[in-house]
């Protein structure tokens, strides 16, 4: 064992937490190294001194000082915190991340309905009358898509869809 | 020195339920330990008293948040450590460390003689007192990080795990800081034993 190796184990040796083999190696090293013996003696004395340092006692009036310094408001806060009932009600609305998933299929259904509506009405009209109707339907469809898209963005941002979206889509929980 | 955990838990539960006598008991139970630790951390009795008082006020305010994962004493030591470090920062007091100059020429061949301390004589008591003073000065010169770990382990008797928990640092860091702190103290003790001046 070298001095460097002993020094690494010094405090474990002092505490008696080294293994048997290491202890033997330490003792063999100590037998031939005065410098490490000095270090060991100083370490043992240090440890003994640390553990026997005179203890300081808290001032006798500490409790009174603590009591006097705890303001009534602080006590009230603690009382409120301790006696606060657990949250009895869960929020009725879904969290934003769930709304996103709930609105995606709703959008799909809406698009399908719009497509079905435009298909079902067009055969009743002649071609001339159908053109403006188709354009109008396309415009309405585009407007609705934009509105739904905006609603989706709002839902993602605000956590709940606006009332107008619920009216437009008829989507309820 | 630690209160049995069941008694500690009962006391805390009562204090959390606004039983003021239970909180008073907690203060009485831990006041000396916390004060002793804080006193050595800050050095000044008046500051130590103020900080100890603040520790218990914070503990009272935070009782409802104490979840019992750490022991109550560990929790108090954590509050105390944070307040001591804040105090040190506020003071911006630079800790002067005494440099240790190892001089191989001072090396003596013979071992130091240590008296049998089983029945200390007046002289031995005086030497012990002197040694305590050396150690106290050496502790004072430690950086707050090293001092905290040394005091909690060697003086207050906390385990590595408790210190790691109280300070929010890995156990390996606790061990390395403790080693560094002890080495600094030991070197001062060596200087003293050689009859050197600090």
């Amino acid at each position: 064992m070298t001095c460097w190796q002993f020094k690494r184990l010094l405090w474990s040796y002092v505490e008696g937490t080294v293994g048997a083999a290491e202890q033997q190696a330490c003792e063999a090293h100590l037998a031939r190294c005065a410098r490490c013996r000095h270090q060991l003696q100083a370490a043992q004395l240090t440890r003994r001194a640390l553990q026997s340092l005179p203890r300081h006692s808290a001032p006798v009036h500490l409790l009174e000082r603590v009591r006097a310094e705890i303001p009534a408001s602080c006590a009230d806060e603690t009382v409120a915190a301790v006696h606060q009932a657990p949250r009895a009600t869960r929020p009725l609305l879904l969290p934003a991340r769930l709304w996103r998933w709930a609105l995606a299929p709703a959008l799909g259904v809406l698009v399908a309905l719009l497509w079905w509506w435009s298909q079902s009405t067009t055969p009743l009209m002649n071609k001339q009358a159908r053109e403006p109707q188709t354009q109008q339907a396309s415009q309405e469809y585009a407007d609705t898509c934009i509105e739904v898209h905006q609603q989706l963005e709002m839902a993602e941002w605000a956590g709940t869809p606006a009332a107008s979206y619920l009216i437009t889509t008829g989507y309820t929980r | 020195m630690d209160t049995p955990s069941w008694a500690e838990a009962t006391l805390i539960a009562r204090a959390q339920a606004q039983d003021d006598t239970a909180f008073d008991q907690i203060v009485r139970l831990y006041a000396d330990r916390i004060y002793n630790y804080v006193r050595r951390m800050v050095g000044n009795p008046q500051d130590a008293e103020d900080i100890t008082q603040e520790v218990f006020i914070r503990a009272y305010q935070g009782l409802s948040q104490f979840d019992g994962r750490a022991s109550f004493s560990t929790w108090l030591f954590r509050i105390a450590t944070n307040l001591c470090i804040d105090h040190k920062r506020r003071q911006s007091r630079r800790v002067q460390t005494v440099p240790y100059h190892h001089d191989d020429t001072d090396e003596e061949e013979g071992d130091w003689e240590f008296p049998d301390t089983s029945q200390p004589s007046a002289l031995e008591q005086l030497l012990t007192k002197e040694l305590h003073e050396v150690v106290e000065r050496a502790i004072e010169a430690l950086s707050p990080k090293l001092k905290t770990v040394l005091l909690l382990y060697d003086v207050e008797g906390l385990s590595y795990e408790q210190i790691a928990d109280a300070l929010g640092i890995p156990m390996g860091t606790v061990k390395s800081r403790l080693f560094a702190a002890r080495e600094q103290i030991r070197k001062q003790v060596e200087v003293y034993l050689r009859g050197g001046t600090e």
Side-chain angles (χ1 to χ4, degrees):
Chain A
M1 177 176 276
T2 63
C3 292
W4 183 79
Q5 286 170 324
F6 174 75
K7 198 166 179 183
R8 278 183 58 211
L9 292 171
L10 173 63
W11 289 100
S12 304
Y13 184 84
V14 169
E15 286 187 290
T17 55
V18 290
E22 284 174 325
Q23 184 160 350
Q24 265 191 332
C26 286
E27 279 161 8
H29 177 75
L30 286 167
R32 56 187 161 78
C33 181
R35 184 174 164 176
C36 286
R37 274 203 304 278
H38 289 168
Q39 290 190 348
L40 173 65
Q41 286 164 340
Q44 285 169 332
L45 208 57
T46 301
R47 185 156 190 262
R48 212 182 307 160
L50 282 168
Q51 290 176 334
S52 64
L53 281 175
R55 295 189 68 84
H56 300 285
S57 297
V60 286
H61 55 269
L62 181 77
L63 179 60
E64 284 69 36
R65 276 191 65 181
V66 171
R67 277 262 149 251
E69 287 295 319
I70 294 174
S73 60
C74 160
D76 291 345
E77 278 171 23
T78 314
V79 171
V82 170
H83 296 292
Q84 187 182 26
R87 286 169 82 175
T89 54
R90 289 179 59 195
L92 290 172
L93 295 172
L94 291 170
R97 59 191 166 81
L98 291 181
W99 271 114
R100 266 178 274 163
W101 291 108
L103 289 176
L107 179 64
V109 170
L110 182 71
V111 170
L113 281 172
L114 285 169
W115 178 83
W116 175 79
W117 175 76
S118 65
Q119 290 301 306
S120 62
T121 52
T122 45
L124 300 174
M125 302 173 190
N126 59 38
K127 190 172 171 51
Q128 288 170 334
R130 205 167 59 206
E131 283 298 327
Q133 285 288 339
T134 308
Q135 283 175 2
Q136 190 185 349
S138 299
Q139 186 59 45
E140 282 176 3
Y141 171 73
D143 291 346
T144 310
C145 283
I146 290 165
E147 190 184 347
V148 168
H149 180 72
Q150 286 171 343
Q151 293 290 351
L152 271 172
E153 282 189 335
M154 281 176 65
E156 191 171 331
W157 179 77
T160 106
S164 62
Y165 172 73
L166 297 174
I167 294 163
T168 309
T169 61
Y171 179 81
T172 60
R173 296 175 70 233
Chain B
M1 201 180 275
D2 277 321
T3 313
S5 58
W6 63 269
E8 194 180 66
T10 308
L11 256 186
I12 294 155
R14 282 173 51 205
Q16 284 177 327
Q18 297 304 297
D19 180 344
D20 284 348
T21 57
F23 183 73
D24 291 353
Q25 274 182 274
I26 287 174
V27 176
R28 285 194 200 96
L29 194 60
Y30 295 107
D32 283 345
R33 267 187 97 184
I34 297 297
Y35 179 79
N36 186 56
Y37 170 66
V38 172
R39 175 80 169 73
R40 287 206 163 85
M41 280 295 287
V42 299
N44 176 322
Q46 187 55 53
D47 290 346
E49 189 177 334
D50 291 346
I51 291 172
T52 307
Q53 177 190 339
E54 188 62 24
V55 169
F56 287 106
I57 292 169
R58 297 270 177 105
Y60 186 86
Q61 289 169 338
L63 264 178
S64 59
Q65 278 107 53
F66 177 72
D67 55 9
R69 274 183 296 180
S71 78
F72 194 72
S73 58
T74 305
W75 188 61
L76 287 178
F77 277 119
R78 184 188 306 161
I79 299 172
T81 303
N82 290 338
L83 287 171
C84 288
I85 289 169
D86 286 349
H87 174 79
K88 283 277 174 194
R89 280 188 192 139
R90 274 199 306 274
Q91 276 195 327
S92 301
R93 193 170 62 195
R94 288 187 63 200
V95 177
Q96 298 285 324
T97 54
V98 182
Y100 171 74
H101 301 291
H102 181 78
D103 188 355
D104 284 336
T105 58
D106 287 347
E107 205 71 52
E108 289 171 18
E109 284 307 312
D111 292 343
W112 294 312
E113 291 296 326
F114 293 100
D116 174 19
T117 54
S118 56
Q119 286 190 330
S121 65
L123 176 64
E124 285 156 11
Q125 284 177 12
L126 187 69
L127 288 174
T128 304
K129 190 168 177 274
E130 241 180 50
L131 183 65
H132 281 158
E133 283 169 8
V134 169
V135 170
E136 292 273 19
R137 278 201 301 276
I139 291 173
E140 215 170 307
L142 290 174
S143 71
K145 280 181 181 177
L146 299 189
K147 196 192 288 186
T148 303
V149 174
L150 181 96
L151 290 177
L152 290 177
Y153 189 86
D154 276 332
V155 180
E156 299 305 331
L158 267 67
S159 66
Y160 293 131
E161 291 88 347
Q162 285 176 315
I163 298 170
D165 190 33
L167 305 182
I169 55 175
M171 217 192 300
T173 309
V174 174
K175 288 179 181 176
S176 62
R177 284 184 189 176
L178 181 65
F179 185 88
R182 282 170 159 182
E183 279 297 286
Q184 283 195 35
I185 310 281
R186 182 186 62 75
K187 285 171 182 176
Q188 296 305 314
V189 170
E190 261 194 67
V191 171
Y192 164 73
L193 291 175
R194 288 174 199 283
T197 53
E198 292 172 88

